[in-house]
Amino acid sequence: KNEVEQSPQNLTAQEGEFITINCSYSVGISALHWLQQHPGGGIVSLFMLSSGKKKHGRLIATINIQEKHSSLHITASHPRDSAVYICAVFSGTYKYIFGTGTRLKVLA
Amino acid sequence: DAGVIQSPRHEVTEMGQEVTLRCKPISGHNSLFWYRQTMMRGLELLIYFNNNVPIDDSGMPEDRFSAKMPNASFSTLKIQPSEPRDSAVYFCASRQQGAGAQYFGPGTRLLVL
């Protein structure tokens, strides 16, 4: 079993839908990082969280340290949101533990 | 501010050739990471430098791979000789020591024929 699990693995949505991507982890962490990778593209940092909630535009990320769970929400989804979303946890050393990624496709 | 810079962005080479990938970290960042990404294995950490010193190279696949960081603003990852199974996207990332977030470069897409 992976130390960092994401769900769903694949997600197809219609433009405008509210989207939730989940990340559960089994190790102690000091922070969690949400990353975005467009097809054939680089890896972009979205949020780094250690508690609570962060919002940037249509993206909202939450984390519950006690439950070892984080969610990434996209409101009013758009085809340009189509990408792989990666959850990475940081346990205070230098290493990330990466989730398996969630492949999102938003249809126009 | 410029982000992490990698070159080349794409590389196509023949088996047996030497390949050198380059990375310039974000100014002021003193930790640098090289990753390899494949469909089968996802993102794998190859090597981690802190203050230009290699700290963890346990992810370097074999002796054909080597990495250097001669100064705080430049690192190279070399594959010699290259093999088709080395085909992947290679990412460089940097961060400030003590801060968790790593910032990734655009990657180098390597195809070894």
Side-chain angles (χ1 to χ4, degrees):
Chain A
K1 192 178 190 303
N2 291 335
E3 293 171 299
V4 181
E5 296 274 357
Q6 286 186 237
S7 63
Q9 287 191 328
N10 294 283
L11 179 58
T12 300
Q14 293 293 325
E15 183 174 0
E17 286 186 7
F18 180 84
I19 289 164
T20 296
I21 299 170
N22 297 297
C23 176
S24 296
Y25 51 91
S26 56
V27 295
I29 71 167
S30 58
L32 182 145
H33 203 171
W34 281 104
L35 305 163
Q36 178 194 56
Q37 186 174 24
H38 282 101
I43 297 172
V44 174
S45 173
L46 296 176
F47 297 103
M48 189 100 182
L49 291 163
S50 55
S51 65
K53 174 174 149 178
K54 287 190 176 179
K55 184 176 189 293
H56 186 261
R58 296 179 295 105
L59 300 178
I60 303 166
T62 63
I63 189 167
N64 185 318
I65 295 292
Q66 287 73 31
E67 294 186 3
K68 296 188 173 181
H69 181 267
S70 176
S71 293
L72 177 68
H73 306 286
I74 305 174
T75 62
S77 59
H78 190 275
R80 65 175 175 265
D81 298 324
S82 299
V84 175
Y85 292 83
I86 303 168
C87 166
V89 301
F90 174 67
S91 60
T93 61
Y94 54 87
K95 280 189 177 179
Y96 274 165
I97 304 173
F98 293 98
T100 50
T102 294
R103 190 174 301 273
L104 170 66
K105 186 170 185 178
V106 181
L107 303 175
Chain B
D1 276 345
V4 176
I5 298 171
Q6 291 187 246
S7 65
R9 296 290 303 274
H10 299 88
E11 178 82 31
V12 181
T13 191
E14 293 188 344
M15 183 173 66
Q17 296 297 305
E18 178 179 295
V19 175
T20 299
L21 311 181
R22 297 173 178 81
C23 175
K24 178 177 167 55
I26 292 171
S27 177
H29 285 191
N30 59 357
S31 295
L32 185 139
F33 305 79
W34 281 101
Y35 290 94
R36 178 171 66 178
Q37 185 182 42
T38 61
M39 289 290 291
M40 291 297 295
R41 300 169 71 96
L43 278 162
E44 301 174 280
L45 177 64
L46 299 178
I47 188 167
Y48 158 60
F49 290 90
N50 190 51
N51 292 324
N52 312 337
V53 175
I55 303 299
D56 180 358
D57 66 354
S58 59
M60 295 286 264
E62 49 199 271
D63 291 346
R64 298 184 298 106
F65 285 69
S66 63
K68 293 182 180 179
M69 192 164 186
N71 57 61
S73 58
F74 184 66
S75 178
T76 59
L77 177 69
K78 187 176 291 187
I79 308 172
Q80 166 64 18
S82 58
E83 296 183 2
R85 61 191 167 123
D86 302 329
S87 299
V89 183
Y90 291 82
F91 287 100
C92 175
S94 71
R95 69 160 196 182
Q96 284 182 309
Q97 188 173 6
Q102 296 178 24
Y103 293 89
F104 288 78
T108 295
R109 279 149 186 80
L110 174 65
L111 178 62
V112 183
L113 302 173

